[in-house]
Amino acid sequence: MSNTAAWENAVRRVVPYTPGEQPKNQNVIKLNTNENPFPPSPSVEKILREYDTSQLRKYPDTDSVVLVNELAKRYNVDSDNVFVGVGSDDVLSMAFLTFFGSDKPILFPDITYSFYDVWADLYKIPYKTLPLDDNFRIIKEDYNIPNGGIVIPNPNAPTGVYEDPSFFEEILKANPDSIVIVDEAYIDFGGLSCIPLTKKYPNLLVVQTFSKSRNLAGLRIGYAIGDKKLIKYMNDVKFSVNSYTMNPLSQLCGAAAVADEEYFQKNLAEIIRVREYSKERLLALGFTFTDSKSNFLFAKHNTKDAGEIFSELKEKGIYVRYWNKARIKDYLRITIGTQEEMDKLFSALEAIL
Ligand SMILES: *Cc1c(COP(=O)(O)O)cnc(C)c1O
């Protein structure tokens, strides 16, 4: 006899995405979710200090005009080329719901952001994963098959491997009848964006986030840039789910962060510097890793088990990310922290190895 109630047969069952741990203990060195180790631009703090709290009784601007206009200016596109959402997870989820309604499978790499298959399952979208090669590179010719859409992160996660826009241009040329989404969560850490290609390819949607390069994971802001027809279709779906998604503080602070280009560039340069320094230190400790163009390193030790290193670091209060999954179980994903945090990591590794 089963304990299943009759109504449970109608439940939309999903296995949810597992986010990286957010420990309650503030003393932990947190290198497990690719957050930025530095605070946001001082202009963000100014807005929060001076905000007129009485404004919070009103609903926010449904169109997030202040933020959309600032993004349009920064990326040299029109306002109707910009969609904003509550983190790029919201933006990607809306894009899946809007564009991936075909009977043909959508395509993405076998090793990639582990939210894609969750949304596909939730929205009942068929999908097919295409294996990366042995160097964790995407084989672009594999995407020349009938499909209901394509989604690829660049740089890829959790490998950090980056491809030039010309690589995506070839995928776009081979797939004029599909929506191609490039998830650029980490593009600012040394890559070239595909945003300029959106003017040439009306089927390209580029998605970015404020959570990594713009130091604002807590405010939940993401955006997509593409042909205005794509943005219109996405907004129609968004306004059919919830009109007031983004709160006014996120809209204002997000716009202020984008306007402070100098802080943004200085912050990125420091993270890239610490990343390159960290590569040298890891190499000396017996690790090999991909040529990451992101704010994390994907590293494998030449003798010691990655799961063991993960657990021993955790005992020492240093959190990194580890997946006990085929093909990547020998690897740790280590977010680039401050120089001081990374030096503590290397001291801990010296003790463990
Ligand atoms: C972090 C991340 C996101 C989601 O970021 P948000 O915080 O929801 O904006 C999306 N895609 C990839 C590949 C990521 O690593």
Side-chain angles (χ1 to χ4, degrees), residues 185-227:
Y186 303 102
I187 198 68
D188 295 324
F189 301 101
L192 283 175
S193 173
C194 286
I195 289 175
L197 289 180
T198 59
K199 297 192 181 181
K200 196 164 158 197
Y201 296 92
N203 57 327
L204 168 64
L205 188 78
V206 177
V207 177
Q208 296 194 356
T209 173
F210 281 59
S211 300
K212 282 84 183 219
S213 60
R214 294 194 185 273
N215 326 56
L216 283 172
L219 284 187
R220 312 300 301 125
I221 312 170
Y223 53 103
I225 292 180
D227 187 84

Side-chain angles (χ1 to χ4, degrees), residues 107 128 130-133 138-145:
L107 309 176
K128 183 177 164 67
L130 302 174
L132 300 180
D133 73 12
I138 293 162
I139 306 165
K140 60 179 180 308
E141 292 74 22
D142 288 357
Y143 290 78
N144 302 354
I145 55 171

Side-chain angles (χ1 to χ4, degrees), residues 46 56 75 103 114 159 169 212 227 263 276 339 352:
K46 185 164 184 292
L56 289 176
Y75 291 102
D103 295 336
S114 48
T159 63
E169 192 157 11
K212 282 84 183 219
D227 187 84
Y263 183 87
E276 297 310 310
Q339 170 92 43
I352 289 170

Side-chain angles (χ1 to χ4, degrees), residues 62 80-100 123 179-181 202-208 222-243 245:
T62 53
D80 52 10
N81 297 121
V82 181
F83 175 92
V84 294
V86 184
S88 59
D89 286 339
D90 179 41
V91 175
L92 287 161
S93 154
M94 286 294 137
F96 272 53
L97 190 55
T98 306
F99 299 119
F100 295 162
Y123 299 138
I179 295 295
V180 177
I181 301 177
N203 57 327
L204 168 64
L205 188 78
V206 177
V207 177
Q208 296 194 356
Y223 53 103
I225 292 180
D227 187 84
K228 66 179 186 203
K229 199 167 173 183
L230 302 190
I231 304 305
K232 167 76 167 71
Y233 277 128
M234 282 183 76
N235 274 319
D236 286 347
V237 169
K238 167 188 157 164
F239 286 113
S240 306
V241 176
N242 181 355
S243 331
T245 50

Side-chain angles (χ1 to χ4, degrees), residues 34-45:
N34 298 340
E35 289 145 328
N36 201 300
F38 300 107
S41 154
S43 60
V44 169
E45 188 178 353

